[in-house]
Amino acid sequence: MSVQSDIENKVREHFSPAFLQVENESHRHSGPATESHFKLTVVSDRFEGLRLVARHQKLYHLLQDELNGGVHALALHTYTSEEWRTNNGNAPASPECRGGSKTAS
């Protein structure tokens, strides 16, 4: 099973999201395209009453094995259903990679 599938399965099981998008952004970074950089957009009412830091901590804890393995970067965008509606169902775009060989001249 792929790292992306593992992440999706864990988040679905633990957070029962109304919306989940796991994007492998590894190809946008220097080095070979692997499963090392991900962007997660998670909409779950289990985030209700939690500050942003607490939401992220829960996801980092859940995905600890992946983060201790080959996952180098994890961009998290976490919302309750109401926040997602207020935000018109949009998560911010990821910035361009500025590290490694991408910036070498």
Side-chain angles (χ1 to χ4, degrees):
M1 192 176 305
S2 72
V3 173
Q4 183 169 345
S5 295
D6 289 342
I7 291 171
E8 288 172 355
N9 291 337
K10 284 183 175 183
V11 173
R12 283 188 200 288
E13 183 178 316
H14 190 77
F15 290 98
S16 301
F19 177 82
L20 173 63
Q21 185 171 38
V22 180
E23 297 177 65
N24 183 346
E25 297 186 328
S26 303
H27 65 281
R28 300 179 64 205
H29 298 273
S30 60
T34 61
E35 288 190 301
S36 61
H37 292 70
F38 290 93
K39 174 182 172 182
L40 272 70
T41 304
V42 184
V43 179
S44 174
D45 289 332
R46 294 197 180 166
F47 293 139
E48 194 70 47
L50 296 177
R51 291 182 171 202
L52 190 59
V53 171
R55 297 173 188 189
H56 289 196
Q57 288 172 333
K58 286 183 176 292
L59 281 162
Y60 289 139
H61 180 73
L62 178 68
L63 301 173
Q64 187 173 14
D65 289 341
E66 288 76 13
L67 290 165
N68 288 336
V71 175
H72 172 73
L74 191 60
L76 300 176
H77 303 284
T78 57
Y79 306 92
T80 63
S81 294
E82 180 59 31
E83 291 167 341
W84 188 241
R85 278 190 293 277
T86 301
N87 204 32
N88 295 319
N90 291 310
S94 296
E96 291 298 319
C97 177
R98 297 186 45 83
S101 62
K102 294 267 186 182
T103 59
S105 30

